[in-house]
C-alpha cells in the first residue's frame, strides 16, 4: 500500500511530502484546491503519458516519488522476472519530467520503460474517477467483472490457447484454399511450362560444355594449323626440338668421364627430353582428333539455341536455374493433384479444434454462470442499504459466436423499482445510482483481487445523507484485510468515516499560488467537517454536528 508520496515542482505544487496510512482515508478540499493535481501526479507514477507543461513554471524538472509496502501482496515474481531489486517493505517508484519534455522512470532506482512502470502500477493502485462509471456501458468490463469473481483466469487462458490454435488452422486453411484456387486456374499453363522444361532434358553444366564444343569446331582450322606448327617444331626431321635435345644430351653423356660437371647437365637434359617427347605425343594426338564436322556443329548450335531461348523466356541465365523452375512447377502440380487430401486433413484438424474449443468455452460459461448468481445476490445485499430497497440486479449471459473471451455475452440488467422492467444498467440508472452500482462492484472485485490501494475520486456524486454514510461504510469495509482505500469526497458523512483525514488547499506565496496538503489533527478535522456542513461560516451547531458524525 502507499506509504509515502513526494511531489516537487508539479503544476501548482512546489513541494509536498505526505505519509499515508492503511485502512480507509479521506481527502477533502474546495473545488480547484488541487486534488486533481495530486491524482495527476499519481497517474504519472502509474505510467500515464507525461506533458512538459506539468512542470511548475520556472523549474527545470519535476519529481514524483512514492514508497509502497508490498509485503503482503506476493509480487516478488514481477521483480525477479524484470531483474529489479526487490524490497517488499519499501518499494520506491519515481518519475522525473524535465521542462524540455524528457521523461524518466525508476523502480527501486533501476531505470525502467514506461510500459514496465505501467505494468507494475496497474497492480499497485486502482484510481476510480467519475468517468470510469462509463465502463458500465462496456460489455468487456461487465464480462471482466464476472471473470474476476469466477476466478477463471486459468480456464480462460486455457480456452484462449485453444482459440488461437483454431484461428491459426483457419488461417492456414484459407491460405491453402486460395493457393489451390489460384493454381487450378493456371494449371494448364503450369503443365505446359513443366512439359516444355521436362522435354528439354536439361542437364546441369551442359551449356558450358556445348559452348566449348561449338567454339572448338568453329575454329577447327586455326586449331589444326597451330597444332601442326607445334608438332613440326617439336619433331621435325632436321630441326625438331625433340631431336636436337636428344643430340645435346648424348654429347654431354660422351664427356662425363673426362668432365664430371657434364653429368648433372646431361641428366637435366634427359628429363627435359622425356617431358618434351610426351608433349609432342599429346600434340600429335590432338592434331589427329581435330576433325571438322558441319553436321555435329549444327546439332550443337541447335541445342544451344534451344537452351538460350528457354533462358530468355524464363528470365534466367543458367541451365541450373531452368532446372530449379522445372522442379518448382512439378511441386506445384503435385500439390494440385494432392490438394484434396491436404484440404481434408486441415479441415479435419479445424473441426477437431472447434469441438475442443467449444468444450473449453462451455466450461467457462459454467464458471461464469455460477459467479453471476453470486454477483446478483451480493449486489442486492450491498445496494439495498444504499437507498435501493426494491433493487433488482441480474447478470444476463447469452451465447454468442466464439471469440477470444469465449462465447458469452454478458449484460448487467438493473431496476431500482418494482414497476420498472429490468434493462441494461447504463440505460436506466441515474448518475447517483450508477455511482452506487460501481461502488458495490468495486467492493466485490476488491475482495477477489489483491490490489494494495484503491482511490475513489468523488464516487459519491449524486448522493447525500444516509446513503453517503452507507457508501462510506462500504469503502471502510474495503479498507480491511491489508488494503488501503482513499476517497476524495465533498460529503461530510463520508469524510467523517475515514481513519485518516487529509485536506488539500491553496495558499498564496510571494512566488504565486501553490497547492498544499496536510493531515488534519482531531480538532482540525472537526472544523473541516463543520465547514463542509455549513459552508464558510462555521456555526456552533455545525461543529456539534461534526463531532456527532465523527463519534459514529
Amino acid at each position: 500500500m502507499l506509504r509515502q508520496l513526494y511531489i516537487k515542482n508539479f503544476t501548482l505544487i512546489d513541494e509536498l511530502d505526505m505519509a499515508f496510512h492503511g485502512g480507509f482515508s479521506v481527502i477533502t478540499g474546495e473545488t480547484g484546491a488541487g486534488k486533481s493535481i495530486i491524482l495527476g501526479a499519481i497517474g504519472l507514477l502509474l505510467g500515464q503519458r507525461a506533458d512538459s507543461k506539468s512542470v511548475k513554471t520556472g523549474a527545470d524538472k519535476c519529481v514524483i516519488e512514492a514508497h509502497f509496502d508490498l509485503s503482503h501482496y506476493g509480487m516478488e515474481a514481477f521483480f525477479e522476472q524484470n531483474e529489479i531489486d526487490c524490497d517488499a517493505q519499501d518499494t520506491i517508484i519515481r518519475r522525473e519530467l524535465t521542462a524540455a519534455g524528457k521523461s524518466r522512470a525508476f523502480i527501486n532506482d533501476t531505470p525502467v520503460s514506461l510500459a514496465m512502470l505501467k505494468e507494475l502500477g496497474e497492480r499497485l493502485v486502482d484510481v476510480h474517477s467519475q468517468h470510469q462509471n462509463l465502463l458500465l456501458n462496456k460489455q468487456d468490463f461487465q464480462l471482466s467483472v464476472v471473470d474476476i469473481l469466477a476466478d477463471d483466469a486459468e480456464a480462460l487462458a486455457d480456452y484462449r490457447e485453444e482459440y488461437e490454435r483454431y484461428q491459426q488452422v483457419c488461417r492456414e486453411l484459407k491460405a491453402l484454399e486460395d493457393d489451390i484456387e489460384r493454381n487450378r486456374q493456371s494449371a494448364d499453363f503450369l503443365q505446359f511450362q513443366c512439359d516444355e522444361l521436362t522435354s528439354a532434358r536439361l542437364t546441369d553444366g551442359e551449356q558450358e560444355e556445348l559452348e566449348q564444343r561449338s567454339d572448338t569446331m568453329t575454329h577447327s582450322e586455326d586449331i589444326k594449323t597451330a597444332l601442326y606448327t607445334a608438332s613440326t617444331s617439336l619433331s621435325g626431321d632436321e630441326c625438331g626440338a625433340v631431336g636436337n635435345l636428344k643430340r645435346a644430351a648424348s654429347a654431354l653423356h660422351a664427356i662425363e668421364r673426362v668432365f664430371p660437371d657434364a653429368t648433372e647437365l646431361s641428366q637435366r637434359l634427359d628429363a627435359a627430353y622425356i617431358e618434351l617427347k610426351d608433349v609432342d605425343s599429346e600434340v600429335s594426338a590432338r592434331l589427329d582428333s581435330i576433325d571438322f564436322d558441319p553436321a555435329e556443329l549444327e546439332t550443337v548450335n541447335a541445342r544451344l539455341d534451344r537452351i538460350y531461348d528457354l533462358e530468355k523466356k524464363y528470365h534466367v541465365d543458367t541451365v541450373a536455374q531452368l532446372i530449379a523452375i522445372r522442379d518448382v512447377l512439378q511441386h506445384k502440380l503435385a500439390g494440385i493433384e494432392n490438394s484434396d487430401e491436404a484440404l481434408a486433413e486441415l479441415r479435419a484438424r479445424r473441426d477437431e479444434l472447434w469441438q475442443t474449443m467449444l468444450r473449453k468455452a462451455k466450461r467457462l460459461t459454467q464458471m461464469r454462470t455460477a459467479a453471476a448468481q453470486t454477483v446478483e445476490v451480493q449486489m442486492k445485499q450491498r445496494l439495498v442499504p444504499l437507498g435501493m430497497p426494491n433493487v433488482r440486479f441480474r447478470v444476463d449471459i447469452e451465447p454468442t459466436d466464439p471469440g477470444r473471451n469465449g462465447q458469452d455475452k454478458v449484460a448487467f440488467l438493473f431496476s431500482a423499482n418494482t414497476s420498472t422492467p429490468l434493462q441494461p444498467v447504463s440505460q436506466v440508472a441515474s448518475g447517483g445510482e450508477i455511482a452506487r452500482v460501481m461502488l458495490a462492484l468495486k467492493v466485490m472485485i476488491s475482495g477477489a483481487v489483491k490490489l494494495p490501494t484503491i482511490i475513489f475520486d468523488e464516487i459519491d456524486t449524486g448522493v447525500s445523507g444516509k446513503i453517503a454514510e452507507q457508501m462510506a461504510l462500504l469503502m471502510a469495509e474495503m479498507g480491511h484485510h491489508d488494503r488501503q482505500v482513499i476517497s476524495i469526497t465533498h460529503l461530510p458523512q463520508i469524510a467523517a468515516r475515514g481513519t485518516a483525514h487529509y485536506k488539500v488547499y491553496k495558499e498564496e506565496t510571494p512566488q504565486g499560488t501553490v497547492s498544499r496538503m496536510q493531515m488534519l489533527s482531531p480538532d482540525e478535522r472537526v472544523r473541516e467537517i463543520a465547514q463542509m456542513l455549513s459552508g464558510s461560516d462555521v456555526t456552533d451547531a455545525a461543529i456539534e454536528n461534526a463531532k456527532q458524525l465523527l463519534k459514529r
Side-chain angles (χ1 to χ4, degrees):
M1 63 183 67
L2 177 63
R3 290 299 191 195
Q4 195 82 16
L5 178 64
Y6 176 78
I7 304 173
K8 185 175 179 64
N9 295 329
F10 182 69
T11 62
L12 294 180
I13 298 176
D14 52 3
E15 189 169 28
L16 182 150
D17 192 359
M18 186 61 58
F20 288 87
H21 303 275
F24 179 44
S25 301
V26 296
I27 298 175
T28 61
E30 295 181 1
T31 300
K35 300 186 294 296
S36 61
I37 296 174
I38 294 171
L39 279 181
I42 293 174
L44 288 181
L45 283 177
L46 303 182
Q48 292 180 5
R49 292 289 176 182
D51 185 347
S52 60
K53 295 178 183 178
S54 299
V55 180
K56 186 175 175 61
T57 303
D60 293 331
K61 72 173 182 178
C62 73
V63 177
I64 305 165
E65 183 176 287
H67 294 244
F68 288 87
D69 181 356
L70 306 180
S71 53
H72 299 287
Y73 302 100
M75 295 188 185
E76 291 78 9
F78 170 86
F79 294 90
E80 183 178 345
Q81 291 168 3
N82 293 289
E83 299 181 347
I84 299 173
D85 292 337
C86 178
D87 183 350
Q89 293 184 337
D90 187 24
T91 296
I92 304 171
I93 298 178
R94 187 169 76 257
R95 187 85 180 270
E96 297 178 358
L97 177 64
T98 69
K102 293 183 178 180
S103 173
R104 296 194 301 169
F106 303 85
I107 299 176
N108 289 338
D109 289 329
T110 299
V112 298
S113 66
L114 198 60
M116 189 180 298
L117 184 70
K118 187 174 183 180
E119 181 183 351
L120 178 60
E122 288 175 347
R123 300 173 64 178
L124 295 179
V125 181
D126 174 28
V127 179
H128 180 93
S129 57
Q130 291 184 53
H131 77 271
Q132 276 198 312
N133 291 338
L134 298 176
L135 289 173
L136 280 176
N137 294 330
K138 309 292 184 181
Q139 289 183 0
D140 287 347
F141 170 74
Q142 298 177 20
L143 178 61
S144 68
V145 169
V146 174
D147 281 337
I148 289 171
L149 298 171
D151 192 19
D152 62 8
E154 184 178 340
L156 180 58
D158 190 30
Y159 165 81
R160 283 176 174 170
E161 287 181 7
E162 202 68 31
Y163 176 77
E164 289 302 326
R165 282 193 286 267
Y166 171 76
Q167 290 295 318
Q168 178 61 32
V169 169
C170 286
R171 287 190 290 268
E172 292 175 7
L173 181 59
K174 178 68 166 60
L176 179 60
E177 289 172 341
D178 292 345
D179 192 39
I180 289 173
E181 180 61 27
R182 284 192 298 269
N183 288 340
R184 280 177 174 165
Q185 290 175 358
S186 58
D188 291 342
F189 182 60
L190 292 175
Q191 188 66 59
F192 168 78
Q193 289 181 312
C194 185
D195 291 344
E196 181 178 47
L197 291 173
T198 302
S199 65
R201 300 183 181 278
L202 299 167
T203 305
D204 191 11
E206 71 169 310
Q207 179 179 342
E208 293 77 7
E209 181 183 346
L210 290 169
E211 288 173 341
Q212 182 61 55
R213 287 172 61 191
S214 176
D215 284 345
T216 298
M217 285 188 287
T218 301
H219 300 88
S220 61
E221 289 302 321
D222 294 336
I223 294 171
K224 289 182 71 172
T225 299
L227 289 173
Y228 178 79
T229 301
S231 179
T232 302
S233 298
L234 289 170
S235 58
D237 293 337
E238 296 183 358
C239 59
V242 174
N244 287 335
L245 192 60
K246 178 64 175 176
R247 284 189 289 273
S250 297
L252 290 177
H253 279 302
I255 62 173
E256 286 177 348
R257 186 177 62 83
V258 295
F259 186 62
D261 290 348
T263 300
E264 180 187 358
L265 295 173
S266 65
Q267 290 175 346
R268 291 169 63 185
L269 285 174
D270 287 341
Y273 169 74
I274 293 171
E275 177 66 22
L276 199 60
K277 189 176 181 181
D278 185 59
V279 171
D280 180 42
S281 296
E282 289 193 21
V283 168
S284 297
R286 297 288 195 281
L287 180 61
D288 293 339
S289 68
I290 298 299
D291 186 19
F292 176 69
D293 184 349
E296 182 182 359
L297 178 61
E298 183 178 353
T299 300
V300 168
N301 286 337
R303 177 64 174 173
L304 281 172
D305 287 343
R306 185 176 187 189
I307 291 173
Y308 293 149
D309 288 342
L310 289 172
E311 288 175 345
K312 182 178 179 181
K313 180 176 182 179
Y314 291 95
H315 308 288
V316 295
D317 301 315
T318 65
V319 170
Q321 291 172 309
L322 287 173
I323 292 173
I325 292 174
R326 179 201 66 196
D327 292 344
V328 169
L329 290 170
Q330 289 175 344
H331 179 73
K332 283 186 175 182
L333 289 168
I336 293 174
E337 292 176 3
N338 300 325
S339 60
D340 290 341
E341 181 179 348
L343 278 176
E345 289 179 1
L346 264 184
R347 286 169 178 164
R349 175 63 177 153
R350 178 200 59 187
D351 295 343
E352 179 184 347
L353 288 171
W354 171 261
Q355 293 301 324
T356 305
M357 184 180 69
L358 288 183
R359 287 196 298 271
K360 294 185 176 183
K362 183 178 180 181
R363 182 189 172 203
L364 266 179
T365 301
Q366 291 170 344
M367 297 177 74
R368 287 166 174 168
T369 302
Q373 295 172 358
T374 302
V375 171
E376 293 171 356
V377 172
Q378 290 193 17
M379 284 296 288
K380 185 169 183 178
Q381 289 174 348
R382 298 186 187 284
L383 289 174
V384 168
L386 294 179
M388 300 183 191
N390 299 314
V391 68
R392 285 177 292 154
F393 190 94
R394 192 176 81 203
V395 180
D396 191 34
I397 300 180
E398 295 182 357
T400 186
D401 293 334
R404 191 170 182 274
N405 293 316
Q407 57 176 156
D408 302 314
K409 179 181 178 182
V410 173
F412 289 169
L413 304 181
F414 172 86
S415 173
N417 308 297
T418 55
S419 59
T420 305
L422 284 165
Q423 296 184 51
V425 62
S426 60
Q427 297 179 14
V428 297
S430 65
E433 289 169 342
I434 285 179
R436 284 173 273 176
V437 169
M438 283 300 293
L439 177 59
L441 288 172
K442 288 279 184 176
V443 173
M444 283 194 301
I445 293 172
S446 69
V449 179
K450 280 190 173 183
L451 194 65
T453 300
I454 301 173
I455 300 176
F456 290 106
D457 182 18
E458 299 184 5
I459 196 173
D460 49 33
T461 300
V463 300
S464 60
K466 185 177 179 181
I467 295 175
E469 189 173 357
Q470 290 297 321
M471 291 180 73
L473 290 173
L474 280 181
M475 286 186 277
E477 176 190 336
M478 294 172 68
H480 298 159
H481 311 297
D482 297 316
R483 189 176 292 106
Q484 181 183 48
V485 177
I486 301 172
S487 176
I488 298 174
T489 181
H490 289 291
L491 297 181
Q493 293 85 357
I494 291 179
R497 288 288 180 177
T499 54
H501 189 155
Y502 302 87
K503 181 178 180 179
V504 179
Y505 60 96
K506 281 184 178 179
E507 183 176 87
E508 295 298 330
T509 70
Q511 290 75 33
T513 304
V514 296
S515 289
R516 305 284 193 205
M517 182 178 183
Q518 69 175 42
M519 183 175 176
L520 300 181
S521 67
D523 290 341
E524 290 171 333
R525 193 173 181 191
V526 170
R527 186 163 187 84
E528 173 69 7
I529 293 175
Q531 193 170 19
M532 295 173 73
L533 286 166
S534 63
S536 57
D537 295 329
V538 179
T539 64
D540 292 340
I543 290 177
E544 187 60 32
N545 196 0
K547 290 179 180 179
Q548 292 300 317
L549 282 176
L550 286 166
K551 280 183 181 179
R552 285 191 227 164

